[in-house]
PDB file of all heavy atoms in Angstrom:
ATOM      1  N   SER I   9     204.419 -32.200  54.320  1.00 50.00           N
ATOM      2  CA  SER I   9     205.023 -31.675  53.094  1.00 50.00           C
ATOM      3  C   SER I   9     205.018 -32.653  51.961  1.00 50.00           C
ATOM      4  O   SER I   9     205.232 -33.824  52.173  1.00 50.00           O
ATOM      5  CB  SER I   9     206.499 -31.392  53.418  1.00 50.00           C
ATOM      6  OG  SER I   9     207.128 -30.960  52.296  1.00 50.00           O
ATOM      7  N   LEU I  10     204.615 -32.206  50.814  1.00 55.00           N
ATOM      8  CA  LEU I  10     204.740 -33.041  49.617  1.00 55.00           C
ATOM      9  C   LEU I  10     206.097 -33.241  49.098  1.00 55.00           C
ATOM     10  O   LEU I  10     206.404 -34.121  48.340  1.00 55.00           O
ATOM     11  CB  LEU I  10     203.800 -32.495  48.530  1.00 55.00           C
ATOM     12  CG  LEU I  10     202.251 -32.736  48.660  1.00 55.00           C
ATOM     13  CD1 LEU I  10     201.581 -31.950  47.531  1.00 55.00           C
ATOM     14  CD2 LEU I  10     202.037 -34.195  48.422  1.00 55.00           C
ATOM     15  N   ASN I  11     206.967 -32.234  49.440  1.00 50.00           N
ATOM     16  CA  ASN I  11     208.317 -32.241  48.777  1.00 50.00           C
ATOM     17  C   ASN I  11     208.226 -32.346  47.248  1.00 50.00           C
ATOM     18  O   ASN I  11     208.618 -33.406  46.699  1.00 50.00           O
ATOM     19  CB  ASN I  11     209.172 -33.408  49.414  1.00 50.00           C
ATOM     20  CG  ASN I  11     209.606 -33.066  50.788  1.00 50.00           C
ATOM     21  OD1 ASN I  11     209.790 -31.867  51.162  1.00 50.00           O
ATOM     22  ND2 ASN I  11     209.824 -34.108  51.552  1.00 50.00           N
ATOM     23  N   PRO I  12     207.608 -31.472  46.573  1.00 45.00           N
ATOM     24  CA  PRO I  12     207.383 -31.548  45.172  1.00 45.00           C
ATOM     25  C   PRO I  12     208.589 -31.898  44.340  1.00 45.00           C
ATOM     26  O   PRO I  12     209.688 -31.282  44.619  1.00 45.00           O
ATOM     27  CB  PRO I  12     206.844 -30.196  44.791  1.00 45.00           C
ATOM     28  CG  PRO I  12     206.204 -29.633  46.021  1.00 45.00           C
ATOM     29  CD  PRO I  12     207.109 -30.170  47.131  1.00 45.00           C
ATOM     30  N   GLY I  13     208.549 -32.744  43.469  1.00 46.00           N
ATOM     31  CA  GLY I  13     209.708 -33.153  42.650  1.00 46.00           C
ATOM     32  C   GLY I  13     210.611 -34.214  43.217  1.00 46.00           C
ATOM     33  O   GLY I  13     211.588 -34.647  42.647  1.00 46.00           O
ATOM     34  N   ARG I  14     210.311 -34.527  44.498  1.00 56.00           N
ATOM     35  CA  ARG I  14     211.193 -35.502  45.169  1.00 56.00           C
ATOM     36  C   ARG I  14     210.484 -36.920  45.327  1.00 56.00           C
ATOM     37  O   ARG I  14     209.522 -37.187  44.694  1.00 56.00           O
ATOM     38  CB  ARG I  14     211.584 -34.916  46.507  1.00 56.00           C
ATOM     39  CG  ARG I  14     212.313 -33.583  46.442  1.00 56.00           C
ATOM     40  CD  ARG I  14     212.642 -33.039  47.781  1.00 56.00           C
ATOM     41  NE  ARG I  14     213.391 -31.791  47.682  1.00 56.00           N
ATOM     42  CZ  ARG I  14     213.753 -31.091  48.694  1.00 56.00           C
ATOM     43  NH1 ARG I  14     213.539 -31.485  49.941  1.00 56.00           N
ATOM     44  NH2 ARG I  14     214.422 -29.863  48.482  1.00 56.00           N
ATOM     45  N   ARG I  15     210.930 -37.668  46.248  1.00 68.00           N
ATOM     46  CA  ARG I  15     210.481 -39.060  46.400  1.00 68.00           C
ATOM     47  C   ARG I  15     209.020 -39.087  46.780  1.00 68.00           C
ATOM     48  O   ARG I  15     208.255 -39.981  46.243  1.00 68.00           O
ATOM     49  CB  ARG I  15     211.335 -39.847  47.351  1.00 68.00           C
ATOM     50  CG  ARG I  15     212.776 -40.052  46.935  1.00 68.00           C
ATOM     51  CD  ARG I  15     213.552 -40.790  47.987  1.00 68.00           C
ATOM     52  NE  ARG I  15     214.932 -40.979  47.606  1.00 68.00           N
ATOM     53  CZ  ARG I  15     215.804 -41.601  48.362  1.00 68.00           C
ATOM     54  NH1 ARG I  15     215.503 -41.986  49.571  1.00 68.00           N
ATOM     55  NH2 ARG I  15     217.104 -41.724  47.888  1.00 68.00           N
ATOM     56  N   ASN I  16     208.557 -38.256  47.611  1.00 78.00           N
ATOM     57  CA  ASN I  16     207.206 -38.371  48.127  1.00 78.00           C
ATOM     58  C   ASN I  16     206.162 -38.169  47.050  1.00 78.00           C
ATOM     59  O   ASN I  16     205.129 -38.880  46.947  1.00 78.00           O
ATOM     60  CB  ASN I  16     206.932 -37.296  49.231  1.00 78.00           C
ATOM     61  CG  ASN I  16     207.658 -37.739  50.561  1.00 78.00           C
ATOM     62  OD1 ASN I  16     208.084 -38.903  50.740  1.00 78.00           O
ATOM     63  ND2 ASN I  16     207.883 -36.782  51.388  1.00 78.00           N
ATOM     64  N   ILE I  17     206.334 -37.148  46.190  1.00 81.00           N
ATOM     65  CA  ILE I  17     205.379 -36.952  45.083  1.00 81.00           C
ATOM     66  C   ILE I  17     205.402 -38.058  44.115  1.00 81.00           C
ATOM     67  O   ILE I  17     204.383 -38.463  43.617  1.00 81.00           O
ATOM     68  CB  ILE I  17     205.606 -35.583  44.455  1.00 81.00           C
ATOM     69  CG1 ILE I  17     204.441 -35.190  43.564  1.00 81.00           C
ATOM     70  CG2 ILE I  17     206.952 -35.577  43.615  1.00 81.00           C
ATOM     71  CD1 ILE I  17     204.533 -33.693  42.987  1.00 81.00           C
ATOM     72  N   LEU I  18     206.598 -38.591  43.847  1.00 85.00           N
ATOM     73  CA  LEU I  18     206.715 -39.721  42.933  1.00 85.00           C
ATOM     74  C   LEU I  18     206.034 -40.978  43.515  1.00 85.00           C
ATOM     75  O   LEU I  18     205.298 -41.701  42.910  1.00 85.00           O
ATOM     76  CB  LEU I  18     208.181 -40.015  42.642  1.00 85.00           C
ATOM     77  CG  LEU I  18     208.452 -41.085  41.575  1.00 85.00           C
ATOM     78  CD1 LEU I  18     207.891 -40.551  40.129  1.00 85.00           C
ATOM     79  CD2 LEU I  18     210.018 -41.211  41.432  1.00 85.00           C
ATOM     80  N   ALA I  19     206.282 -41.197  44.839  1.00 89.00           N
ATOM     81  CA  ALA I  19     205.669 -42.351  45.543  1.00 89.00           C
ATOM     82  C   ALA I  19     204.126 -42.235  45.509  1.00 89.00           C
ATOM     83  O   ALA I  19     203.385 -43.237  45.335  1.00 89.00           O
ATOM     84  CB  ALA I  19     206.191 -42.363  46.954  1.00 89.00           C
ATOM     85  N   LEU I  20     203.685 -41.015  45.640  1.00 91.00           N
ATOM     86  CA  LEU I  20     202.174 -40.815  45.594  1.00 91.00           C
ATOM     87  C   LEU I  20     201.592 -41.079  44.274  1.00 91.00           C
ATOM     88  O   LEU I  20     200.522 -41.687  44.190  1.00 91.00           O
ATOM     89  CB  LEU I  20     201.851 -39.361  46.086  1.00 91.00           C
ATOM     90  CG  LEU I  20     200.377 -38.987  46.215  1.00 91.00           C
ATOM     91  CD1 LEU I  20     199.591 -39.850  47.188  1.00 91.00           C
ATOM     92  CD2 LEU I  20     200.228 -37.442  46.601  1.00 91.00           C
ATOM     93  N   PHE I  21     202.287 -40.597  43.250  1.00 92.00           N
ATOM     94  CA  PHE I  21     201.877 -40.934  41.881  1.00 92.00           C
ATOM     95  C   PHE I  21     201.853 -42.460  41.603  1.00 92.00           C
ATOM     96  O   PHE I  21     200.835 -42.943  41.007  1.00 92.00           O
ATOM     97  CB  PHE I  21     202.790 -40.238  40.857  1.00 92.00           C
ATOM     98  CG  PHE I  21     202.495 -40.553  39.416  1.00 92.00           C
ATOM     99  CD1 PHE I  21     201.504 -39.843  38.750  1.00 92.00           C
ATOM    100  CD2 PHE I  21     203.166 -41.608  38.775  1.00 92.00           C
ATOM    101  CE1 PHE I  21     201.159 -40.151  37.443  1.00 92.00           C
ATOM    102  CE2 PHE I  21     202.780 -41.891  37.409  1.00 92.00           C
ATOM    103  CZ  PHE I  21     201.824 -41.180  36.770  1.00 92.00           C
ATOM    104  N   PHE I  22     202.880 -43.174  42.065  1.00 94.00           N
ATOM    105  CA  PHE I  22     202.921 -44.552  41.772  1.00 94.00           C
ATOM    106  C   PHE I  22     201.911 -45.363  42.652  1.00 94.00           C
ATOM    107  O   PHE I  22     201.429 -46.357  42.235  1.00 94.00           O
ATOM    108  CB  PHE I  22     204.331 -45.137  42.059  1.00 94.00           C
ATOM    109  CG  PHE I  22     205.264 -44.947  40.839  1.00 94.00           C
ATOM    110  CD1 PHE I  22     206.259 -43.987  40.939  1.00 94.00           C
ATOM    111  CD2 PHE I  22     205.051 -45.612  39.707  1.00 94.00           C
ATOM    112  CE1 PHE I  22     207.112 -43.744  39.829  1.00 94.00           C
ATOM    113  CE2 PHE I  22     205.845 -45.410  38.549  1.00 94.00           C
ATOM    114  CZ  PHE I  22     206.877 -44.494  38.629  1.00 94.00           C
ATOM    115  N   LEU I  23     201.565 -44.753  43.785  1.00 95.00           N
ATOM    116  CA  LEU I  23     200.505 -45.377  44.591  1.00 95.00           C
ATOM    117  C   LEU I  23     199.160 -45.316  43.808  1.00 95.00           C
ATOM    118  O   LEU I  23     198.394 -46.174  43.808  1.00 95.00           O
ATOM    119  CB  LEU I  23     200.423 -44.644  45.937  1.00 95.00           C
ATOM    120  CG  LEU I  23     199.301 -45.109  46.853  1.00 95.00           C
ATOM    121  CD1 LEU I  23     199.518 -46.562  47.291  1.00 95.00           C
ATOM    122  CD2 LEU I  23     199.269 -44.246  48.132  1.00 95.00           C
ATOM    123  N   GLY I  24     198.905 -44.134  43.186  1.00 95.00           N
ATOM    124  CA  GLY I  24     197.740 -43.910  42.360  1.00 95.00           C
ATOM    125  C   GLY I  24     197.752 -44.824  41.183  1.00 95.00           C
ATOM    126  O   GLY I  24     196.722 -45.407  40.801  1.00 95.00           O
ATOM    127  N   LEU I  25     198.964 -44.967  40.539  1.00 95.00           N
ATOM    128  CA  LEU I  25     199.093 -45.835  39.405  1.00 95.00           C
ATOM    129  C   LEU I  25     198.793 -47.271  39.735  1.00 95.00           C
ATOM    130  O   LEU I  25     197.979 -47.963  39.023  1.00 95.00           O
ATOM    131  CB  LEU I  25     200.566 -45.756  38.882  1.00 95.00           C
ATOM    132  CG  LEU I  25     200.856 -46.513  37.604  1.00 95.00           C
ATOM    133  CD1 LEU I  25     200.242 -45.821  36.432  1.00 95.00           C
ATOM    134  CD2 LEU I  25     202.410 -46.621  37.446  1.00 95.00           C
ATOM    135  N   LEU I  26     199.344 -47.715  40.883  1.00 95.00           N
ATOM    136  CA  LEU I  26     199.038 -49.113  41.367  1.00 95.00           C
ATOM    137  C   LEU I  26     197.532 -49.280  41.697  1.00 95.00           C
ATOM    138  O   LEU I  26     196.996 -50.349  41.350  1.00 95.00           O
ATOM    139  CB  LEU I  26     199.903 -49.435  42.589  1.00 95.00           C
ATOM    140  CG  LEU I  26     199.759 -50.854  43.197  1.00 95.00           C
ATOM    141  CD1 LEU I  26     200.126 -51.894  42.157  1.00 95.00           C
ATOM    142  CD2 LEU I  26     200.595 -50.904  44.416  1.00 95.00           C
ATOM    143  N   SER I  27     196.991 -48.319  42.334  1.00 95.00           N
ATOM    144  CA  SER I  27     195.546 -48.367  42.675  1.00 95.00           C
ATOM    145  C   SER I  27     194.640 -48.514  41.363  1.00 95.00           C
ATOM    146  O   SER I  27     193.766 -49.237  41.352  1.00 95.00           O
ATOM    147  CB  SER I  27     195.157 -47.127  43.491  1.00 95.00           C
ATOM    148  OG  SER I  27     195.857 -47.033  44.684  1.00 95.00           O
ATOM    149  N   GLY I  28     195.057 -47.689  40.382  1.00 93.00           N
ATOM    150  CA  GLY I  28     194.305 -47.767  39.184  1.00 93.00           C
ATOM    151  C   GLY I  28     194.390 -49.105  38.503  1.00 93.00           C
ATOM    152  O   GLY I  28     193.350 -49.649  37.911  1.00 93.00           O
ATOM    153  N   MET I  29     195.536 -49.722  38.483  1.00 93.00           N
ATOM    154  CA  MET I  29     195.740 -51.081  37.975  1.00 93.00           C
ATOM    155  C   MET I  29     194.938 -52.128  38.725  1.00 93.00           C
ATOM    156  O   MET I  29     194.333 -52.989  38.212  1.00 93.00           O
ATOM    157  CB  MET I  29     197.181 -51.401  37.925  1.00 93.00           C
ATOM    158  CG  MET I  29     198.043 -50.575  37.008  1.00 93.00           C
ATOM    159  SD  MET I  29     199.769 -51.015  37.011  1.00 93.00           S
ATOM    160  CE  MET I  29     200.405 -50.008  35.660  1.00 93.00           C
ATOM    161  N   ILE I  30     194.943 -51.955  40.000  1.00 92.00           N
ATOM    162  CA  ILE I  30     194.197 -52.914  40.906  1.00 92.00           C
ATOM    163  C   ILE I  30     192.700 -52.843  40.632  1.00 92.00           C
ATOM    164  O   ILE I  30     192.018 -53.803  40.459  1.00 92.00           O
ATOM    165  CB  ILE I  30     194.533 -52.664  42.350  1.00 92.00           C
ATOM    166  CG1 ILE I  30     195.995 -53.034  42.734  1.00 92.00           C
ATOM    167  CG2 ILE I  30     193.567 -53.506  43.298  1.00 92.00           C
ATOM    168  CD1 ILE I  30     196.438 -52.721  44.123  1.00 92.00           C
ATOM    169  N   VAL I  31     192.261 -51.576  40.567  1.00 89.00           N
ATOM    170  CA  VAL I  31     190.781 -51.370  40.299  1.00 89.00           C
ATOM    171  C   VAL I  31     190.423 -52.086  38.979  1.00 89.00           C
ATOM    172  O   VAL I  31     189.398 -52.685  38.853  1.00 89.00           O
ATOM    173  CB  VAL I  31     190.489 -49.883  40.276  1.00 89.00           C
ATOM    174  CG1 VAL I  31     189.140 -49.661  39.669  1.00 89.00           C
ATOM    175  CG2 VAL I  31     190.555 -49.306  41.685  1.00 89.00           C
ATOM    176  N   MET I  32     191.236 -51.828  37.943  1.00 87.00           N
ATOM    177  CA  MET I  32     190.886 -52.383  36.596  1.00 87.00           C
ATOM    178  C   MET I  32     190.929 -53.931  36.660  1.00 87.00           C
ATOM    179  O   MET I  32     190.124 -54.612  36.080  1.00 87.00           O
ATOM    180  CB  MET I  32     191.868 -51.959  35.561  1.00 87.00           C
ATOM    181  CG  MET I  32     191.591 -50.503  35.071  1.00 87.00           C
ATOM    182  SD  MET I  32     189.934 -50.356  34.367  1.00 87.00           S
ATOM    183  CE  MET I  32     189.850 -51.562  33.078  1.00 87.00           C
ATOM    184  N   ASN I  33     191.892 -54.511  37.378  1.00 85.00           N
ATOM    185  CA  ASN I  33     192.025 -55.991  37.466  1.00 85.00           C
ATOM    186  C   ASN I  33     190.868 -56.598  38.238  1.00 85.00           C
ATOM    187  O   ASN I  33     190.353 -57.696  37.880  1.00 85.00           O
ATOM    188  CB  ASN I  33     193.351 -56.369  38.051  1.00 85.00           C
ATOM    189  CG  ASN I  33     194.492 -56.361  37.019  1.00 85.00           C
ATOM    190  OD1 ASN I  33     194.736 -57.311  36.308  1.00 85.00           O
ATOM    191  ND2 ASN I  33     195.209 -55.284  36.914  1.00 85.00           N
ATOM    192  N   ILE I  34     190.471 -55.948  39.310  1.00 86.00           N
ATOM    193  CA  ILE I  34     189.381 -56.424  40.156  1.00 86.00           C
ATOM    194  C   ILE I  34     188.030 -56.285  39.443  1.00 86.00           C
ATOM    195  O   ILE I  34     187.230 -57.183  39.407  1.00 86.00           O
ATOM    196  CB  ILE I  34     189.357 -55.777  41.459  1.00 86.00           C
ATOM    197  CG1 ILE I  34     190.559 -56.168  42.348  1.00 86.00           C
ATOM    198  CG2 ILE I  34     188.061 -56.119  42.272  1.00 86.00           C
ATOM    199  CD1 ILE I  34     190.686 -55.361  43.667  1.00 86.00           C
ATOM    200  N   GLY I  35     187.807 -55.061  38.807  1.00 79.00           N
ATOM    201  CA  GLY I  35     186.534 -54.806  38.224  1.00 79.00           C
ATOM    202  C   GLY I  35     186.434 -54.846  36.725  1.00 79.00           C
ATOM    203  O   GLY I  35     185.640 -54.194  36.078  1.00 79.00           O
ATOM    204  N   LYS I  36     187.383 -55.705  36.130  1.00 75.00           N
ATOM    205  CA  LYS I  36     187.473 -55.648  34.621  1.00 75.00           C
ATOM    206  C   LYS I  36     186.232 -56.191  33.980  1.00 75.00           C
ATOM    207  O   LYS I  36     185.884 -55.769  32.855  1.00 75.00           O
ATOM    208  CB  LYS I  36     188.699 -56.538  34.154  1.00 75.00           C
ATOM    209  CG  LYS I  36     188.666 -57.988  34.574  1.00 75.00           C
ATOM    210  CD  LYS I  36     189.964 -58.646  34.066  1.00 75.00           C
ATOM    211  CE  LYS I  36     190.024 -60.088  34.471  1.00 75.00           C
ATOM    212  NZ  LYS I  36     191.241 -60.774  34.012  1.00 75.00           N
ATOM    213  N   SER I  37     185.482 -57.098  34.600  1.00 68.00           N
ATOM    214  CA  SER I  37     184.351 -57.544  34.013  1.00 68.00           C
ATOM    215  C   SER I  37     183.209 -56.528  33.874  1.00 68.00           C
ATOM    216  O   SER I  37     182.425 -56.567  32.962  1.00 68.00           O
ATOM    217  CB  SER I  37     183.707 -58.776  34.813  1.00 68.00           C
ATOM    218  OG  SER I  37     183.369 -58.371  36.159  1.00 68.00           O
TER     219      SER I  37
END
């Protein structure tokens, strides 16, 4: 269950946010 609007969906979004930031920092060159 995603439990939309609750902690799980927010955690998944922030996991993606963190992943995007890591990708940019690693591959910024």
Side-chain angles (χ1 to χ4, degrees):
S9 174
L10 279 172
N11 287 328
R14 300 179 182 177
R15 293 180 181 178
N16 287 341
I17 193 171
L18 189 62
L20 183 59
F21 176 83
F22 278 109
L23 178 61
L25 186 73
L26 181 61
S27 299
M29 292 179 174
I30 292 173
V31 167
M32 281 304 302
N33 277 276
I34 293 176
K36 61 182 178 181
S37 60

